[in-house]
Amino acid sequence: VSSDFQRKRLHLCQGKERGVTINTEYYRVILKAAEMGNITRVAAELGYTQSGISHIISRVEQEFHQIIFARSNEGIIVLPAAV
């Protein structure tokens, strides 16, 4: 992840008590994963490793205390609660 993206941070409010800071590059990864439905293809398109994409998705899910994607051997899909 480039240092330019690391400097660009968005502060999101989740509820009234908890602030969440997410790297803007993570949004790009999450959106591309939702669009493509396949971590391996997202990694290839964005220039990451498959494990790098999985790590970003897991980190965002941890930050929001919300599972975003259902994972299977056939790919990933966005869960209704994440929309």
Side-chain angles (χ1 to χ4, degrees):
V1 177
S2 74
S3 61
D4 182 47
F5 278 110
Q6 289 175 337
R7 284 192 296 268
K8 294 178 183 176
R9 302 236 178 220
L10 297 177
H11 182 75
L12 303 174
C13 184
Q14 183 185 36
K16 293 184 180 178
E17 305 86 35
R18 183 164 168 27
V20 178
T21 302
I22 300 291
N23 183 311
T24 55
E25 178 68 2
Y26 290 4
Y27 285 110
R28 187 169 83 116
V29 169
I30 295 296
L31 290 173
K32 188 58 78 172
E35 176 186 312
M36 298 184 87
N38 185 288
I39 291 174
T40 303
R41 283 188 245 152
V42 172
E45 183 157 320
L46 298 180
Y48 284 88
T49 62
Q50 182 179 348
S51 63
I53 295 297
S54 293
H55 176 77
I56 289 170
I57 290 170
S58 294
R59 183 159 181 190
V60 171
E61 289 175 333
Q62 288 172 8
E63 284 288 328
F64 285 103
H65 303 285
Q66 177 70 49
I67 301 298
I68 300 170
F69 295 104
R71 296 154 175 86
S72 75
N73 291 338
E74 297 172 11
I76 57 174
I77 58 168
V78 178
L79 292 172
V83 177

Coordinates of all heavy atoms in Angstrom, one line a residue:
V1 N 0.9 -1.2 0.0 CA 0.0 0.0 0.0 C 0.9 1.2 0.0 O 1.8 1.3 0.8 CB -0.9 0.0 1.2 CG1 -1.8 1.2 1.3 CG2 -1.8 -1.2 1.2
S2 N 0.6 2.2 -0.9 CA 1.5 3.3 -1.0 C 1.4 4.3 0.2 O 0.4 4.3 0.8 CB 1.2 4.1 -2.3 OG 0.0 4.8 -2.2
S3 N 2.4 5.0 0.4 CA 2.4 6.0 1.6 C 1.4 7.0 1.3 O 0.8 7.6 2.3 CB 3.8 6.5 1.8 OG 4.2 7.3 0.7
D4 N 1.1 7.4 0.1 CA 0.1 8.4 -0.2 C -1.3 7.9 0.3 O -2.0 8.7 0.9 CB 0.0 8.6 -1.7 CG -1.0 9.7 -2.1 OD1 -1.0 10.8 -1.4 OD2 -1.8 9.5 -3.0
F5 N -1.6 6.7 0.1 CA -2.9 6.1 0.6 C -2.9 6.0 2.1 O -3.9 6.2 2.7 CB -3.2 4.8 -0.1 CG -3.9 4.9 -1.4 CD1 -3.2 4.6 -2.6 CD2 -5.1 5.4 -1.5 CE1 -3.8 4.7 -3.8 CE2 -5.7 5.6 -2.8 CZ -5.0 5.2 -3.9
Q6 N -1.7 5.7 2.6 CA -1.6 5.6 4.1 C -1.9 6.9 4.8 O -2.4 7.0 5.9 CB -0.3 5.0 4.5 CG -0.1 3.6 4.2 CD 1.3 3.0 4.4 OE1 2.2 3.8 4.5 NE2 1.4 1.7 4.6
R7 N -1.5 8.0 4.1 CA -1.7 9.4 4.7 C -3.2 9.8 4.6 O -3.7 10.5 5.4 CB -0.8 10.4 4.0 CG 0.6 10.3 4.4 CD 1.4 11.5 3.9 NE 1.5 11.6 2.5 CZ 2.4 11.1 1.7 NH1 3.4 10.4 2.3 NH2 2.4 11.2 0.4
K8 N -3.9 9.3 3.6 CA -5.3 9.6 3.4 C -6.1 8.7 4.3 O -6.3 7.6 4.0 CB -5.7 9.5 1.9 CG -5.0 10.4 1.0 CD -5.5 10.2 -0.4 CE -4.7 11.1 -1.4 NZ -5.1 10.8 -2.8
R9 N -6.7 9.2 5.3 CA -7.5 8.4 6.2 C -8.8 9.1 6.3 O -9.0 10.3 6.3 CB -6.8 8.4 7.6 CG -5.5 7.8 7.5 CD -5.4 6.6 8.4 NE -4.1 6.0 8.3 CZ -3.9 4.8 8.3 NH1 -4.9 3.9 8.4 NH2 -2.7 4.3 8.3
L10 N -9.8 8.3 6.4 CA -11.2 8.8 6.7 C -11.6 8.4 8.1 O -11.4 7.3 8.5 CB -12.2 8.2 5.6 CG -11.9 8.5 4.2 CD1 -12.9 7.8 3.3 CD2 -12.0 10.0 3.9
H11 N -12.2 9.4 8.7 CA -12.8 9.1 10.0 C -14.3 8.9 9.9 O -15.0 9.7 9.5 CB -12.5 10.3 11.0 CG -12.9 10.0 12.4 ND1 -12.3 9.2 13.2 CD2 -14.0 10.5 13.0 CE1 -12.9 9.2 14.4 NE2 -14.0 9.9 14.3
L12 N -14.7 7.7 10.2 CA -16.1 7.3 10.1 C -16.7 7.2 11.5 O -16.0 6.7 12.4 CB -16.3 6.0 9.4 CG -15.7 6.0 8.0 CD1 -15.8 4.6 7.4 CD2 -16.4 7.0 7.1
C13 N -17.9 7.5 11.7 CA -18.5 7.4 13.0 C -19.4 6.2 12.9 O -20.3 6.1 12.1 CB -19.3 8.6 13.3 SG -20.0 8.5 15.0
Q14 N -19.2 5.2 13.8 CA -20.0 4.0 13.9 C -20.7 4.1 15.2 O -20.1 3.9 16.3 CB -19.1 2.8 13.8 CG -20.0 1.5 13.9 CD -19.1 0.3 13.9 OE1 -18.0 0.3 14.6 NE2 -19.5 -0.8 13.3
G15 N -22.0 4.5 15.2 CA -22.7 4.8 16.4 C -22.2 6.1 16.9 O -21.5 6.9 16.2
K16 N -22.5 6.4 18.1 CA -22.1 7.7 18.7 C -20.9 7.6 19.5 O -20.2 8.6 19.7 CB -23.3 8.3 19.6 CG -24.5 8.6 18.8 CD -25.5 9.3 19.6 CE -26.7 9.6 18.7 NZ -27.8 10.2 19.5
E17 N -20.5 6.4 20.0 CA -19.4 6.3 20.9 C -18.1 5.9 20.2 O -17.0 6.2 20.7 CB -19.7 5.2 21.9 CG -20.9 5.4 22.7 CD -22.1 4.8 22.1 OE1 -22.0 3.7 21.4 OE2 -23.2 5.4 22.2
R18 N -18.2 5.3 19.0 CA -17.0 4.7 18.4 C -16.6 5.3 17.1 O -17.3 5.3 16.2 CB -17.2 3.2 18.2 CG -16.1 2.4 17.7 CD -16.3 0.9 17.9 NE -15.5 0.0 17.2 CZ -14.2 0.1 16.8 NH1 -13.6 1.2 16.9 NH2 -13.6 -0.9 16.3
G19 N -15.4 5.8 17.0 CA -14.8 6.3 15.8 C -14.0 5.3 15.1 O -13.2 4.6 15.8
V20 N -14.0 5.2 13.8 CA -13.2 4.2 13.1 C -12.4 4.9 12.0 O -12.9 5.7 11.3 CB -14.1 3.1 12.4 CG1 -13.3 2.1 11.7 CG2 -15.0 2.4 13.5
T21 N -11.1 4.6 12.0 CA -10.3 5.1 10.9 C -9.9 4.0 10.0 O -9.3 3.0 10.4 CB -9.0 5.8 11.6 OG1 -9.4 6.8 12.5 CG2 -8.2 6.4 10.5
I22 N -10.2 4.2 8.7 CA -9.9 3.2 7.7 C -9.1 3.9 6.6 O -9.4 4.9 6.1 CB -11.2 2.6 7.1 CG1 -12.0 1.9 8.2 CG2 -10.9 1.6 6.0 CD1 -11.4 0.7 8.8
N23 N -8.0 3.2 6.2 CA -7.2 3.7 5.1 C -8.1 3.7 3.8 O -8.8 2.7 3.5 CB -6.1 2.7 4.9 CG -5.1 3.0 3.9 OD1 -5.5 3.3 2.7 ND2 -3.8 3.0 4.2
T24 N -8.0 4.8 3.0 CA -8.8 4.9 1.8 C -8.5 3.8 0.8 O -9.4 3.4 0.0 CB -8.7 6.2 1.1 OG1 -7.3 6.5 0.8 CG2 -9.3 7.3 2.0
E25 N -7.3 3.2 0.8 CA -7.0 2.1 -0.1 C -7.9 0.9 0.3 O -8.2 0.1 -0.6 CB -5.5 1.8 0.0 CG -5.1 0.6 -0.9 CD -5.2 0.8 -2.4 OE1 -5.5 1.9 -2.8 OE2 -4.9 -0.1 -3.1
Y26 N -8.2 0.7 1.5 CA -9.0 -0.4 2.0 C -10.4 -0.3 1.3 O -10.9 -1.4 1.0 CB -9.1 -0.4 3.5 CG -7.8 -0.8 4.2 CD1 -6.6 -1.0 3.5 CD2 -7.8 -0.9 5.6 CE1 -5.5 -1.3 4.2 CE2 -6.7 -1.3 6.3 CZ -5.5 -1.5 5.6 OH -4.4 -1.8 6.3
Y27 N -10.9 0.9 1.2 CA -12.2 1.0 0.5 C -12.2 0.5 -0.9 O -13.1 -0.1 -1.4 CB -12.7 2.5 0.5 CG -13.2 2.9 1.9 CD1 -12.5 3.8 2.6 CD2 -14.4 2.4 2.4 CE1 -12.9 4.2 3.9 CE2 -14.8 2.8 3.6 CZ -14.1 3.7 4.4 OH -14.5 4.1 5.6
R28 N -11.1 0.9 -1.6 CA -10.9 0.4 -3.0 C -10.9 -1.1 -3.0 O -11.5 -1.7 -3.9 CB -9.6 1.0 -3.5 CG -9.4 0.8 -5.0 CD -8.3 1.6 -5.5 NE -7.0 1.0 -5.3 CZ -6.2 0.6 -6.3 NH1 -6.5 0.8 -7.5 NH2 -5.0 0.0 -6.0
V29 N -10.2 -1.7 -2.1 CA -10.1 -3.2 -2.1 C -11.5 -3.8 -1.8 O -11.9 -4.7 -2.5 CB -9.1 -3.7 -1.0 CG1 -9.2 -5.2 -0.8 CG2 -7.7 -3.3 -1.5
I30 N -12.2 -3.3 -0.8 CA -13.5 -3.8 -0.5 C -14.5 -3.6 -1.6 O -15.2 -4.6 -2.0 CB -14.1 -3.1 0.8 CG1 -13.2 -3.4 2.0 CG2 -15.5 -3.5 1.1 CD1 -13.1 -4.9 2.4
L31 N -14.5 -2.5 -2.2 CA -15.4 -2.3 -3.4 C -15.1 -3.2 -4.5 O -16.0 -3.7 -5.2 CB -15.4 -0.8 -3.8 CG -16.0 0.2 -2.8 CD1 -15.7 1.6 -3.3 CD2 -17.5 -0.1 -2.6
K32 N -13.8 -3.4 -4.8 CA -13.4 -4.2 -5.9 C -13.8 -5.7 -5.6 O -14.2 -6.4 -6.5 CB -11.9 -4.1 -6.2 CG -11.4 -4.8 -7.4 CD -12.1 -4.4 -8.7 CE -11.7 -3.0 -9.2 NZ -12.2 -2.7 -10.6
A33 N -13.6 -6.1 -4.4 CA -13.9 -7.5 -4.0 C -15.4 -7.7 -4.1 O -15.9 -8.7 -4.6 CB -13.5 -7.7 -2.5
A34 N -16.2 -6.7 -3.7 CA -17.7 -6.8 -3.8 C -18.1 -6.9 -5.3 O -19.0 -7.7 -5.7 CB -18.4 -5.6 -3.2
E35 N -17.4 -6.1 -6.1 CA -17.7 -6.1 -7.6 C -17.3 -7.4 -8.2 O -18.0 -8.0 -9.0 CB -16.9 -5.0 -8.2 CG -17.0 -4.9 -9.7 CD -16.1 -3.8 -10.2 OE1 -16.1 -2.7 -9.7 OE2 -15.3 -4.0 -11.2
M36 N -16.1 -7.9 -7.9 CA -15.5 -9.1 -8.6 C -15.9 -10.4 -8.0 O -16.0 -11.4 -8.7 CB -14.0 -9.0 -8.7 CG -13.6 -7.8 -9.5 SD -11.8 -7.7 -9.7 CE -11.6 -8.7 -11.2
G37 N -16.1 -10.5 -6.7 CA -16.5 -11.7 -6.0 C -15.5 -12.8 -6.0 O -15.8 -13.9 -5.7
N38 N -14.2 -12.4 -6.1 CA -13.1 -13.4 -6.1 C -11.8 -12.7 -5.6 O -11.3 -11.8 -6.3 CB -12.9 -13.9 -7.5 CG -11.9 -15.0 -7.6 OD1 -10.7 -14.8 -7.4 ND2 -12.4 -16.3 -7.7
I39 N -11.3 -13.2 -4.5 CA -10.1 -12.5 -3.9 C -8.9 -12.7 -4.8 O -8.1 -11.7 -4.9 CB -9.9 -13.2 -2.5 CG1 -11.0 -12.7 -1.5 CG2 -8.5 -12.8 -2.0 CD1 -11.0 -13.3 -0.2
T40 N -8.7 -13.8 -5.4 CA -7.6 -14.0 -6.3 C -7.6 -13.0 -7.5 O -6.6 -12.4 -7.8 CB -7.5 -15.4 -6.9 OG1 -7.5 -16.3 -5.7 CG2 -6.3 -15.7 -7.7
R41 N -8.7 -12.8 -8.1 CA -8.8 -11.8 -9.2 C -8.6 -10.4 -8.7 O -8.0 -9.6 -9.4 CB -10.2 -12.0 -9.9 CG -10.2 -13.2 -10.8 CD -11.4 -13.2 -11.7 NE -12.2 -14.4 -11.2 CZ -13.5 -14.5 -11.3 NH1 -14.2 -13.6 -11.7 NH2 -14.0 -15.7 -10.9
V42 N -9.2 -10.1 -7.6 CA -9.0 -8.7 -7.0 C -7.5 -8.5 -6.8 O -6.9 -7.4 -7.1 CB -9.7 -8.6 -5.7 CG1 -9.4 -7.2 -5.0 CG2 -11.2 -8.6 -5.9
A43 N -6.8 -9.5 -6.2 CA -5.4 -9.4 -5.9 C -4.6 -9.1 -7.2 O -3.7 -8.2 -7.3 CB -4.8 -10.6 -5.2
A44 N -4.9 -9.9 -8.3 CA -4.2 -9.7 -9.5 C -4.5 -8.3 -10.1 O -3.6 -7.7 -10.6 CB -4.7 -10.8 -10.5
E45 N -5.7 -7.9 -10.1 CA -6.1 -6.6 -10.7 C -5.5 -5.4 -9.9 O -5.0 -4.4 -10.5 CB -7.6 -6.4 -10.7 CG -8.0 -5.1 -11.4 CD -9.3 -5.1 -12.0 OE1 -9.8 -6.1 -12.6 OE2 -10.0 -4.1 -11.9
L46 N -5.4 -5.5 -8.6 CA -4.9 -4.4 -7.8 C -3.4 -4.5 -7.4 O -2.9 -3.6 -6.8 CB -5.7 -4.2 -6.5 CG -7.2 -3.9 -6.7 CD1 -7.9 -3.8 -5.4 CD2 -7.4 -2.7 -7.5
G47 N -2.8 -5.6 -7.8 CA -1.3 -5.7 -7.6 C -1.0 -6.2 -6.1 O 0.1 -5.8 -5.6
Y48 N -1.9 -6.9 -5.5 CA -1.6 -7.5 -4.2 C -1.5 -9.0 -4.3 O -1.8 -9.6 -5.3 CB -2.8 -7.2 -3.3 CG -3.0 -5.8 -2.8 CD1 -3.7 -4.8 -3.5 CD2 -2.5 -5.4 -1.6 CE1 -3.8 -3.5 -3.1 CE2 -2.6 -4.1 -1.1 CZ -3.3 -3.2 -1.8 OH -3.5 -1.9 -1.4
T49 N -1.1 -9.6 -3.1 CA -1.1 -11.0 -3.0 C -2.5 -11.4 -2.6 O -3.3 -10.5 -2.0 CB -0.1 -11.6 -2.0 OG1 -0.4 -11.0 -0.7 CG2 1.3 -11.2 -2.4
Q50 N -2.9 -12.6 -2.7 CA -4.2 -13.1 -2.3 C -4.3 -12.9 -0.7 O -5.3 -12.4 -0.2 CB -4.4 -14.5 -2.6 CG -5.8 -15.1 -2.2 CD -6.0 -16.5 -2.6 OE1 -5.2 -17.1 -3.4 NE2 -7.0 -17.2 -2.1
S51 N -3.2 -13.2 0.0 CA -3.3 -13.1 1.4 C -3.3 -11.6 1.8 O -3.9 -11.3 2.9 CB -2.0 -13.8 2.1 OG -0.8 -13.1 1.6
G52 N -2.8 -10.7 1.0 CA -2.9 -9.3 1.3 C -4.3 -8.8 1.3 O -4.7 -8.0 2.1
I53 N -5.0 -9.3 0.2 CA -6.4 -8.9 0.1 C -7.2 -9.5 1.3 O -8.1 -8.8 1.9 CB -7.0 -9.4 -1.2 CG1 -6.3 -8.6 -2.4 CG2 -8.5 -9.2 -1.3 CD1 -6.5 -7.1 -2.5
S54 N -7.0 -10.7 1.6 CA -7.7 -11.3 2.7 C -7.4 -10.6 4.0 O -8.3 -10.4 4.8 CB -7.3 -12.8 2.9 OG -7.7 -13.6 1.8
H55 N -6.2 -10.2 4.2 CA -5.8 -9.4 5.4 C -6.6 -8.1 5.5 O -7.1 -7.7 6.6 CB -4.3 -9.2 5.5 CG -3.9 -8.4 6.6 ND1 -3.8 -8.8 7.9 CD2 -3.6 -7.0 6.7 CE1 -3.4 -7.9 8.7 NE2 -3.2 -6.8 8.0
I56 N -6.7 -7.4 4.4 CA -7.4 -6.1 4.4 C -8.8 -6.3 4.7 O -9.4 -5.6 5.5 CB -7.2 -5.4 3.0 CG1 -5.7 -4.9 2.9 CG2 -8.2 -4.3 2.8 CD1 -5.4 -4.4 1.5
I57 N -9.5 -7.3 4.1 CA -10.9 -7.6 4.3 C -11.1 -7.9 5.8 O -12.0 -7.4 6.4 CB -11.4 -8.7 3.4 CG1 -11.5 -8.2 1.9 CG2 -12.8 -9.2 3.9 CD1 -11.7 -9.3 0.9
S58 N -10.2 -8.8 6.3 CA -10.4 -9.1 7.8 C -10.2 -7.9 8.7 O -10.9 -7.8 9.7 CB -9.3 -10.2 8.1 OG -9.6 -11.4 7.4
R59 N -9.3 -7.1 8.3 CA -9.0 -5.9 9.2 C -10.2 -5.0 9.2 O -10.6 -4.4 10.2 CB -7.8 -5.2 8.7 CG -7.5 -4.0 9.5 CD -6.1 -3.5 9.4 NE -5.9 -2.4 10.3 CZ -4.8 -1.7 10.3 NH1 -3.8 -1.9 9.5 NH2 -4.7 -0.7 11.2
V60 N -10.8 -4.7 8.0 CA -12.0 -3.9 7.9 C -13.2 -4.5 8.7 O -13.9 -3.8 9.4 CB -12.4 -3.6 6.4 CG1 -13.7 -2.9 6.3 CG2 -11.3 -2.8 5.8
E61 N -13.3 -5.8 8.5 CA -14.4 -6.5 9.3 C -14.2 -6.4 10.8 O -15.1 -6.1 11.5 CB -14.5 -8.0 8.9 CG -15.0 -8.2 7.5 CD -15.0 -9.6 7.0 OE1 -14.1 -10.4 7.5 OE2 -15.8 -9.9 6.2
Q62 N -12.9 -6.5 11.2 CA -12.7 -6.3 12.7 C -12.9 -4.9 13.1 O -13.5 -4.7 14.2 CB -11.2 -6.7 12.9 CG -10.9 -8.1 12.9 CD -9.4 -8.4 12.9 OE1 -8.6 -7.6 13.2 NE2 -9.1 -9.7 12.7
E63 N -12.5 -3.9 12.3 CA -12.8 -2.5 12.7 C -14.2 -2.2 12.9 O -14.6 -1.4 13.8 CB -12.2 -1.6 11.6 CG -10.7 -1.4 11.7 CD -10.2 -0.6 12.9 OE1 -10.9 0.3 13.3 OE2 -9.1 -0.9 13.4
F64 N -15.1 -2.7 12.0 CA -16.5 -2.5 12.1 C -17.3 -3.5 12.9 O -18.5 -3.4 13.0 CB -17.1 -2.3 10.6 CG -16.7 -1.1 10.0 CD1 -15.7 -1.0 9.0 CD2 -17.3 0.1 10.3 CE1 -15.4 0.2 8.4 CE2 -17.0 1.3 9.7 CZ -16.0 1.3 8.8
H65 N -16.6 -4.5 13.4 CA -17.3 -5.6 14.1 C -18.4 -6.1 13.3 O -19.5 -6.3 13.8 CB -17.8 -5.0 15.5 CG -16.7 -4.5 16.3 ND1 -15.8 -5.2 17.0 CD2 -16.4 -3.2 16.6 CE1 -14.9 -4.5 17.7 NE2 -15.3 -3.2 17.4
Q66 N -18.2 -6.3 12.0 CA -19.2 -6.8 11.1 C -18.6 -7.6 10.0 O -17.6 -7.2 9.4 CB -19.9 -5.6 10.5 CG -20.9 -5.9 9.4 CD -22.2 -6.5 10.1 OE1 -22.7 -6.0 11.0 NE2 -22.6 -7.7 9.5
I67 N -19.1 -8.9 9.8 CA -18.6 -9.7 8.7 C -19.2 -9.1 7.4 O -20.4 -8.9 7.3 CB -19.0 -11.1 8.9 CG1 -18.5 -11.7 10.2 CG2 -18.6 -12.0 7.7 CD1 -16.9 -11.7 10.3
I68 N -18.4 -8.8 6.4 CA -18.8 -8.2 5.2 C -19.1 -9.2 4.1 O -20.1 -9.0 3.4 CB -17.8 -7.2 4.7 CG1 -17.5 -6.1 5.8 CG2 -18.2 -6.5 3.4 CD1 -16.4 -5.2 5.5
F69 N -18.2 -10.2 4.0 CA -18.4 -11.2 3.0 C -18.6 -12.6 3.5 O -18.0 -13.0 4.5 CB -17.1 -11.2 2.1 CG -16.8 -9.9 1.4 CD1 -15.8 -9.0 1.8 CD2 -17.5 -9.6 0.2 CE1 -15.6 -7.8 1.1 CE2 -17.2 -8.4 -0.5 CZ -16.3 -7.5 0.0
A70 N -19.4 -13.4 2.8 CA -19.4 -14.8 3.0 C -18.4 -15.4 2.0 O -18.3 -15.0 0.9 CB -20.8 -15.3 2.6
R71 N -17.6 -16.3 2.6 CA -16.5 -16.9 1.8 C -16.8 -18.3 1.5 O -17.3 -19.0 2.4 CB -15.2 -16.7 2.5 CG -14.7 -15.3 2.8 CD -13.8 -15.2 4.0 NE -13.3 -13.9 4.2 CZ -13.9 -12.9 4.9 NH1 -15.1 -13.1 5.4 NH2 -13.3 -11.8 5.1
S72 N -16.4 -18.8 0.3 CA -16.5 -20.2 -0.1 C -15.4 -20.5 -1.0 O -14.7 -19.6 -1.5 CB -17.9 -20.5 -0.7 OG -18.0 -20.0 -2.0
N73 N -15.3 -21.8 -1.4 CA -14.3 -22.1 -2.4 C -14.6 -21.5 -3.8 O -13.8 -21.5 -4.6 CB -14.3 -23.7 -2.6 CG -13.7 -24.3 -1.3 OD1 -13.0 -23.7 -0.6 ND2 -14.0 -25.6 -1.1
E74 N -15.9 -21.1 -4.0 CA -16.3 -20.5 -5.3 C -16.1 -19.0 -5.3 O -16.4 -18.4 -6.4 CB -17.7 -21.0 -5.6 CG -17.8 -22.5 -5.7 CD -19.2 -23.0 -5.8 OE1 -20.1 -22.1 -6.0 OE2 -19.5 -24.2 -5.8
G75 N -15.8 -18.4 -4.2 CA -15.7 -16.9 -4.2 C -16.2 -16.3 -3.0 O -16.4 -17.0 -1.9
I76 N -16.5 -15.0 -3.1 CA -17.1 -14.3 -1.9 C -18.3 -13.5 -2.4 O -18.5 -13.2 -3.6 CB -16.1 -13.3 -1.4 CG1 -15.6 -12.3 -2.4 CG2 -14.9 -14.0 -0.7 CD1 -14.7 -11.2 -1.9
I77 N -19.3 -13.3 -1.5 CA -20.4 -12.5 -1.8 C -20.7 -11.6 -0.6 O -20.3 -11.9 0.6 CB -21.7 -13.4 -2.0 CG1 -22.0 -14.3 -0.8 CG2 -21.6 -14.2 -3.3 CD1 -23.4 -14.9 -0.9
V78 N -21.2 -10.4 -0.9 CA -21.5 -9.4 0.2 C -22.7 -9.9 1.0 O -23.7 -10.3 0.4 CB -21.8 -8.0 -0.4 CG1 -22.1 -7.0 0.6 CG2 -20.6 -7.5 -1.3
L79 N -22.6 -9.9 2.3 CA -23.7 -10.3 3.1 C -24.7 -9.2 3.2 O -24.3 -8.0 3.2 CB -23.2 -10.7 4.5 CG -22.3 -11.9 4.6 CD1 -21.7 -12.1 5.9 CD2 -23.2 -13.1 4.2
P80 N -26.0 -9.5 3.3 CA -27.0 -8.4 3.4 C -26.8 -7.4 4.5 O -27.1 -6.3 4.4 CB -28.3 -9.2 3.6 CG -28.0 -10.6 3.0 CD -26.6 -10.8 3.3
A81 N -26.3 -7.9 5.7 CA -26.1 -7.0 6.8 C -25.0 -6.0 6.5 O -25.0 -5.0 7.2 CB -25.8 -7.8 8.0
A82 N -24.2 -6.3 5.6 CA -23.1 -5.3 5.3 C -23.5 -4.2 4.3 O -22.8 -3.3 4.1 CB -21.9 -6.1 4.7
V83 N -24.6 -4.4 3.7 CA -25.1 -3.4 2.7 C -25.7 -2.2 3.4 O -26.3 -2.2 4.3 CB -26.1 -4.0 1.7 CG1 -26.6 -3.0 0.7 CG2 -25.4 -5.2 1.0

